[in-house]
Amino acid sequence: MPRCGLTVDSLNPKVLALADHLGDDAIARRAQCIQNEIETKPGSHPFDEIIYCSLSNPQSMGQQPNKFFREVLALCNYPHLLEQSETNSLFSSDAIARAREILDLFPGRATGGYSHCQGIEGLRDIIAAGIASRDNFPCNAEDIFLTDGAAPPVHMMMHLLIRDQKDGILCPIPSHSLYTSYMVLQGATLVPYYLDESRGWGVSMSDLKKQLDGARSMGVVVRGLVVINPGNPTGHVLVEENQREIVDFCRNEDLVLLADEVYQENIYTDEKKFHSFKKIARSMGYGEGDISLVSFHSVSNGYYGECGRRGGYMEVTGFNSEVKKQVYKVASLSSCSNISGQILMSLVMNPPRVGDESYTAYQAERDSILSSFARCAEAMVCTFNRLEGVTCSKAEGAMFVFPSVRLPKKAIAAAEESNTQPDAFYALRLLETTGIVVVPGSVFGQIHGTWHFRCTVLPQEEKLPLIISRFMAFHEVFMEEFRD
Amino acid sequence: MPRCGLTVDSLNPKVLALADHLGDDAIARRAQCIQNEIETKPGSHPFDEIIYCSLSNPQSMGQQPNKFFREVLALCNYPHLLEQSETNSLFSSDAIARAREILDLFPGRATGGYSHCQGIEGLRDIIAAGIASRDNFPCNAEDIFLTDGAAPPVHMMMHLLIRDQKDGILCPIPSHSLYTSYMVLQGATLVPYYLDESRGWGVSMSDLKKQLDGARSMGVVVRGLVVINPGNPTGHVLVEENQREIVDFCRNEDLVLLADEVYQENIYTDEKKFHSFKKIARSMGYGEGDISLVSFHSVSNGYYGECGRRGGYMEVTGFNSEVKKQVYKVASLSSCSNISGQILMSLVMNPPRVGDESYTAYQAERDSILSSFARCAEAMVCTFNRLEGVTCSKAEGAMFVFPSVRLPKKAIAAAEESNTQPDAFYALRLLETTGIVVVPGSVFGQIHGTWHFRCTVLPQEEKLPLIISRFMAFHEVFMEEFRD
């Protein structure tokens, strides 16, 4: 019998519809390829290293892991160390104490078993206490689901809310691909709303209302609204008034507010503070019965950048008990999230305190990283705003700047000729000329006819002058070449 | 404006259709409740502890983690230790050497970054070498996807293969709920095939063919076949001839063979050996172009039972490059699996070797655990076969025995009266009378009119006499009470 085998056209069309940049980013592949060429044939390119300004992956850029976090993880992985006298000289005293406290939270001190599917109860208590102290409003450990980073809980919520393609979710444009990808995978209708670049990428309530009404008039049942604060890729931090408007909007329109708050610790301007949407809702007097709200956080996106540990949580409030039972059911499919990630999430929400041996070093490290981000952001914004045709909003949080580039018609034509998006064409030219990798705005979505790129503020500061001078030189030559 | 909020009937019906035992197992909840009562009111029950024979979670049953594994994890979490002289007295020399080797596999030795979405390349090389050495056939690291346990890759494959409810997957009955749950969640048609209890739970090729033809005649497009070997819940290990028949069946019928091989290291009879389906297929002369095969493994299910670490892999062979690209795309949605799990998976596939400091202890621990499983299984099988109306196949692998109980009509009627499945009724009575927790066969599926329960072989051996005597006494009284 002849075997035809598994063919791509017999696969789930929702998988096929996922944007190719997820698995097949031409720029990332080209960067990898150039890197290999530089290593094997030094001098083959006009630069001697690839500088990744594309990755929100601080430790891959040379940032060192936080000492206290790693001490506690090591001790929890190998508790035998806690009984050895040498340990006192190898580890800080508060890391030792913390590891003991954490081990006591595990039934039978067994860190090798599956946990409760929401995560170890005692760790959720610590996280809930951290959230309560952050917000000055109570938090219930039963509302916390510990997760392997932020992707699985987003996937869970899409599974829960999306029945078929008539169901839609309001999603910001631009936004990183996590939400849009899972919407595509679940067959949801993406209802885009456009962040207002003219107001530093805030949420325009009139556009939100317009998009919601438009979708509804097309028969779309809009189930929820995604907000990313601080913003990815925009670096914007919402003002409180804007957050209150969003809360009222979700309440009035009966939408689940899906709040991506993974960059909550990365604010590097004195003018803004992070306020969780739950804090905002509670401070408006809204309780459990008034608004359905999911807050996502992870250990990947804070300044400590423990991306590889895959820790995270979602806090689910304003869901009735029947609905909550269904969330629990979906969460239980994968047994539980990884224990190291669970422990790390508890450390993030309860870092060393005043008086602890690690406190001073921990604070110094935090301040040093965030102030480096701030200086880098400022230098980049300043540089980009000096380039012909480029404007760049102030970066206030997260890890990014997201400048707009007015590309000449000739460049757009050249891009079309090479079957590339114009901003990808620009980014590829940048890579080939300078070794600098940025992410084209078309990956995140943008208003038709505008072009952007996302650049992280993570590069080591000593590389900044090089990045800036190369970028400026490249842009000048590019504009010269394609000037209309 | 009045707010109706999120209601359960507005959720995705595929989520609602997931069996409630996933998130709301009456027996597990009752056990938890009794445990609390025993602690707060000693003497409130006719036993003084709950004995979980329901959980495939060895470390929660008191099994200690493997020392070498945990040493390496601790060192990789806090590499600073490798530079300290005290480390040589605290850790075994091969753990230190292994940690150094592993750290060198991480670009920039950065264990805190996201990895390649398939996992760190060097770790995949080690795992591929381990698979090649296990099978005596080559294995390509590019075919390996490192995962957070076995659930995410099963979910991925369902996303990939299932377009709508016309697509079906052949799934063994009985089987643990992982496959059936993800089928329900993706809206696939479950095409059951019945394992042959009369032949110790082997696969009956005639039933397989009958079920496939039956499904096809109803218009179901059958995409794949799930085989669990060693079996969960059956404890059966397939004979090679049966495996060859299955391979030929999948090849002839153009089905993707989804091979759950997570219990590959848990064989505790001298008469059987584990053979991967890839080894069987290659030994039959079938290459990449002949059969599409996915093998799942994890760090949770081996005798070491590192369930909480959420490490795993799938090996994907016989998929053409276009299809493989789609697998990659789905895998990339969640960035990467957790690094500790990735490292642990590499240790499982490359444990201490002859001459290494940890080798003797590692082998002794392995043999001790597996021989304890074997003794426990034998005692249980022997006991169950002595009970009135109970027959129990030999347990050869995995962690389970799965006896059949012929329940009296009166017991079935009493179960119906209390709106419970008869085997759940039996299990609940067992719990209330003895404190022993088992999982009713109805959770796994079984031939209509037959009743079973799954019992793990994990209890600490000193508890076996107690378990056996309580079980025998309970069963006698139960049968007396409900005798027709």
Side-chain angles (χ1 to χ4, degrees):
Chain A
M1 190 177 177
R3 178 175 182 274
C4 50
L6 191 63
T7 58
V8 75
D9 51 303
S10 76
L11 301 181
N12 181 357
K14 291 170 189 164
V15 169
L16 300 178
L18 282 172
D20 269 336
H21 68 80
L22 284 168
D24 180 39
D25 178 350
I27 292 172
R29 276 186 299 128
R30 182 68 191 131
Q32 185 59 55
C33 180
I34 294 176
Q35 185 149 320
N36 295 344
E37 286 166 9
I38 291 173
E39 279 158 26
T40 53
K41 281 184 261 168
S44 56
H45 290 270
F47 44 85
D48 56 8
E49 66 170 329
I50 296 289
I51 301 175
Y52 287 96
C53 298
S54 51
L55 307 173
S56 42
N57 196 3
Q59 295 192 36
S60 76
M61 308 283 290
Q63 186 179 303
Q64 290 307 300
N66 176 271
K67 181 168 173 283
F68 175 78
F69 289 172
R70 293 303 191 90
E71 285 178 299
V72 177
L73 284 185
L75 292 167
C76 290
N77 267 314
Y78 189 41
H80 169 79
L81 292 173
L82 292 168
E83 295 147 33
Q84 311 308 313
S85 57
E86 297 95 323
T87 298
N88 295 318
S89 64
L90 282 172
F91 292 84
S92 42
S93 57
D94 53 339
I96 294 172
R98 187 66 73 90
R100 287 190 201 280
E101 283 166 36
I102 287 175
L103 288 170
D104 285 339
L105 301 175
F106 286 75
R109 292 170 71 94
T111 63
Y114 294 113
S115 72
H116 183 283
C117 91
Q118 288 184 241
I120 294 288
E121 195 182 345
L123 295 175
R124 283 185 283 129
D125 286 336
I126 292 170
I127 290 164
I131 293 172
S133 133
R134 178 197 71 194
D135 290 346
N136 269 319
F137 287 97
C139 174
N140 187 342
E142 305 232 321
D143 297 337
I144 306 293
F145 289 74
L146 295 180
T147 55
D148 292 314
V154 169
H155 196 175
M156 281 182 219
M157 292 313 302
M158 295 297 166
H159 266 305
L160 209 72
L161 293 175
I162 304 303
R163 293 161 294 191
D164 55 39
Q165 74 286 358
K166 284 199 212 81
D167 283 334
I169 304 267
L170 276 157
C171 190
I173 301 294
S175 75
H176 68 109
S177 59
L178 185 62
Y179 300 90
T180 49
S181 296
Y182 282 117
M183 278 183 230
V184 171
L185 193 62
Q186 292 307 117
T189 294
L190 170 69
V191 184
Y193 68 92
Y194 293 88
L195 298 176
D196 186 352
E197 186 166 10
S198 71
R199 294 196 306 149
W201 298 109
V203 174
S204 152
M205 299 313 296
S206 59
D207 183 60
L208 206 47
K209 179 69 178 152
K210 191 180 102 188
Q211 301 295 345
L212 174 68
D213 291 345
R216 283 182 173 161
S217 73
M218 308 279 284
V220 176
V221 181
V222 182
R223 312 293 324 261
L225 166 71
V226 172
V227 182
I228 307 172
N229 180 50
N232 179 359
T234 65
H236 177 67
V237 178
L238 292 175
V239 295
E240 275 187 74
E241 176 54 25
N242 208 180
Q243 288 189 273
R244 280 193 291 268
E245 290 168 338
I246 292 166
V247 166
D248 266 331
F249 180 78
C250 287
R251 186 169 178 270
N252 294 334
E253 304 289 355
D254 234 340
L255 302 172
V256 177
L257 176 48
L258 301 165
D260 182 322
E261 302 184 321
V262 300
Y263 288 109
Q264 59 187 260
E265 286 154 287
N266 294 23
I267 311 278
Y268 37 81
T269 168
D270 293 337
E271 294 144 42
K272 292 277 183 80
K273 275 195 173 144
F274 169 76
H275 302 287
S276 77
F277 272 99
K278 196 180 117 199
K279 174 183 177 181
I280 296 290
R282 296 292 177 270
S283 67
M284 293 166 78
Y286 297 145
E288 275 284 322
D290 296 307
I291 182 163
S292 302
L293 174 59
V294 185
S295 165
F296 303 102
H297 193 15
S298 94
V299 304
S300 312
N301 308 90
Y303 53 88
Y304 35 78
E306 284 284 12
C307 308
R309 286 298 173 280
R310 316 312 289 126
Y313 74 71
M314 65 173 170
E315 183 192 8
V316 179
T317 53
F319 282 39
N320 70 43
S321 64
E322 282 302 297
V323 173
K324 198 92 166 276
K325 203 172 130 185
Q326 303 301 320
V327 180
Y328 184 85
K329 222 160 64 170
V330 178
S332 70
L333 286 180
S334 55
S335 301
C336 68
S337 63
N338 84 86
I339 299 292
S340 291
Q342 292 190 25
I343 292 172
L344 194 47
M345 192 76 247
S346 82
L347 301 179
V348 161
M349 297 307 284
N350 184 24
R353 283 150 289 190
V354 184
D356 291 349
E357 183 184 330
S358 303
Y359 178 76
T360 314
Y362 182 86
Q363 288 295 108
E365 188 180 311
R366 176 185 175 281
D367 293 346
S368 147
I369 293 171
L370 288 178
S371 60
S372 165
F373 286 2
R375 285 190 299 272
C376 186
E378 199 177 337
M380 282 176 168
V381 170
C382 174
T383 302
F384 293 141
N385 277 319
R386 283 167 58 196
L387 301 181
E388 181 187 349
V390 176
T391 52
C392 185
S393 298
K394 198 174 168 205
E396 303 165 319
M399 300 179 169
F400 317 104
V401 294
F402 195 61
S404 154
V405 195
R406 283 190 301 280
L407 293 170
K409 281 186 196 132
K410 259 196 213 162
I412 294 170
E416 275 165 11
E417 212 157 291
S418 62
N419 205 18
T420 312
Q421 292 284 348
D423 49 11
F425 178 80
Y426 178 88
L428 209 52
R429 276 291 185 108
L430 174 71
L431 167 61
E432 298 284 357
T433 317
T434 65
I436 299 170
V437 194
V438 296
V439 184
S442 43
V443 166
F444 308 99
Q446 53 202 348
I447 287 178
H448 185 74
T450 68
W451 310 108
H452 299 79
F453 60 87
R454 187 188 79 172
C455 184
T456 65
V457 299
L458 303 180
Q460 290 171 301
E461 276 189 271
E462 62 267 29
K463 287 196 181 152
L464 255 186
L466 185 79
I467 293 172
I468 287 172
S469 64
R470 282 193 187 163
F471 214 119
M472 291 180 80
F474 158 75
H475 188 78
E476 201 178 313
V477 171
F478 182 92
M479 294 303 273
E480 210 53 61
E481 180 177 352
F482 292 103
R483 197 179 305 284
D484 295 321
Chain B
M1 193 176 174
R3 180 175 179 272
C4 50
L6 191 62
T7 58
V8 74
D9 52 302
S10 76
L11 300 181
N12 181 357
K14 292 170 187 161
V15 169
L16 300 178
L18 283 171
D20 268 337
H21 68 78
L22 284 169
D24 181 37
D25 178 350
I27 292 173
R29 275 185 300 130
R30 182 67 191 132
Q32 185 59 55
C33 181
I34 294 177
Q35 183 148 320
N36 295 344
E37 286 166 10
I38 291 172
E39 279 160 26
T40 53
K41 282 184 261 169
S44 57
H45 291 270
F47 44 83
D48 57 8
E49 66 170 329
I50 296 289
I51 301 174
Y52 287 97
C53 296
S54 51
L55 307 173
S56 43
N57 196 3
Q59 294 193 36
S60 76
M61 310 282 291
Q63 186 177 304
Q64 290 306 300
N66 176 271
K67 182 168 171 282
F68 175 79
F69 288 173
R70 295 301 193 92
E71 285 179 298
V72 177
L73 284 186
L75 292 166
C76 289
N77 267 313
Y78 189 41
H80 169 77
L81 292 173
L82 292 167
E83 294 147 32
Q84 310 308 311
S85 56
E86 295 96 322
T87 299
N88 294 320
S89 63
L90 282 172
F91 292 83
S92 39
S93 57
D94 54 338
I96 293 172
R98 187 67 73 90
R100 286 189 202 282
E101 282 167 36
I102 288 175
L103 288 170
D104 284 342
L105 301 174
F106 286 75
R109 290 170 74 93
T111 64
Y114 294 114
S115 72
H116 184 283
C117 91
Q118 289 183 240
I120 293 289
E121 194 181 347
L123 295 176
R124 283 185 283 129
D125 287 335
I126 292 170
I127 290 165
I131 294 172
S133 134
R134 178 196 72 194
D135 290 346
N136 268 319
F137 286 98
C139 173
N140 188 341
E142 304 232 321
D143 296 338
I144 305 292
F145 288 74
L146 296 179
T147 55
D148 292 313
V154 169
H155 196 175
M156 279 181 220
M157 291 314 300
M158 295 298 166
H159 266 305
L160 209 72
L161 293 175
I162 304 304
R163 293 161 294 193
D164 55 40
Q165 74 286 357
K166 284 199 213 83
D167 283 335
I169 305 267
L170 276 156
C171 189
I173 300 294
S175 75
H176 68 109
S177 60
L178 185 63
Y179 300 90
T180 49
S181 296
Y182 281 117
M183 277 182 229
V184 171
L185 193 63
Q186 291 307 119
T189 293
L190 170 69
V191 185
Y193 67 94
Y194 293 88
L195 299 176
D196 187 353
E197 187 167 10
S198 70
R199 294 195 306 146
W201 299 109
V203 174
S204 152
M205 299 314 295
S206 59
D207 184 60
L208 206 48
K209 179 68 177 152
K210 191 180 101 187
Q211 302 294 347
L212 174 68
D213 292 344
R216 282 181 174 162
S217 73
M218 309 278 284
V220 176
V221 182
V222 182
R223 314 292 325 261
L225 166 72
V226 173
V227 182
I228 308 173
N229 180 49
N232 179 357
T234 66
H236 178 66
V237 178
L238 292 173
V239 295
E240 276 187 73
E241 176 56 23
N242 208 180
Q243 288 188 273
R244 280 193 291 268
E245 290 168 339
I246 292 166
V247 166
D248 266 331
F249 180 79
C250 287
R251 186 169 177 270
N252 294 335
E253 303 290 354
D254 233 341
L255 303 173
V256 177
L257 176 48
L258 301 166
D260 182 322
E261 303 184 321
V262 300
Y263 288 109
Q264 59 188 259
E265 287 154 286
N266 294 23
I267 312 277
Y268 37 83
T269 169
D270 292 338
E271 294 145 40
K272 292 278 183 79
K273 276 197 171 142
F274 169 77
H275 302 287
S276 76
F277 272 99
K278 196 180 116 198
K279 174 183 175 179
I280 296 290
R282 295 292 177 268
S283 67
M284 294 167 79
Y286 297 144
E288 275 284 322
D290 295 307
I291 181 165
S292 302
L293 174 59
V294 185
S295 165
F296 302 103
H297 193 15
S298 93
V299 303
S300 311
N301 308 90
Y303 55 87
Y304 36 78
E306 286 284 13
C307 309
R309 285 300 172 280
R310 317 311 290 123
Y313 73 71
M314 65 173 172
E315 183 191 7
V316 179
T317 53
F319 282 39
N320 70 42
S321 65
E322 282 302 296
V323 173
K324 198 90 167 280
K325 202 172 130 186
Q326 303 301 321
V327 180
Y328 184 86
K329 221 161 63 169
V330 178
S332 71
L333 286 181
S334 55
S335 303
C336 68
S337 64
N338 84 86
I339 298 295
S340 291
Q342 292 190 25
I343 292 172
L344 195 46
M345 193 75 246
S346 82
L347 301 180
V348 161
M349 298 307 286
N350 184 24
R353 282 151 290 189
V354 184
D356 291 348
E357 183 185 330
S358 303
Y359 177 75
T360 313
Y362 182 87
Q363 287 295 106
E365 187 180 314
R366 177 185 175 281
D367 294 346
S368 150
I369 292 172
L370 288 178
S371 59
S372 165
F373 286 2
R375 286 190 300 270
C376 185
E378 199 175 338
M380 282 177 167
V381 169
C382 175
T383 303
F384 292 140
N385 277 320
R386 285 168 56 198
L387 301 182
E388 181 188 350
V390 176
T391 51
C392 185
S393 298
K394 198 173 169 207
E396 303 166 319
M399 300 180 170
F400 316 103
V401 294
F402 194 61
S404 153
V405 196
R406 282 191 300 283
L407 293 171
K409 282 186 195 130
K410 259 197 214 164
I412 295 170
E416 274 165 11
E417 213 158 290
S418 63
N419 205 17
T420 312
Q421 292 282 348
D423 50 9
F425 178 79
Y426 177 88
L428 209 51
R429 277 289 186 110
L430 175 71
L431 167 62
E432 298 285 355
T433 316
T434 66
I436 298 170
V437 194
V438 296
V439 184
S442 44
V443 165
F444 308 101
Q446 53 202 349
I447 287 178
H448 186 73
T450 68
W451 309 109
H452 299 77
F453 60 87
R454 188 187 77 173
C455 185
T456 65
V457 301
L458 303 179
Q460 289 172 301
E461 278 189 272
E462 62 266 29
K463 289 197 178 150
L464 254 187
L466 185 79
I467 294 172
I468 287 172
S469 64
R470 282 193 187 163
F471 215 119
M472 291 181 82
F474 158 76
H475 188 77
E476 202 176 313
V477 172
F478 182 91
M479 294 304 273
E480 211 52 62
E481 180 177 351
F482 292 103
R483 196 180 306 286
D484 295 321

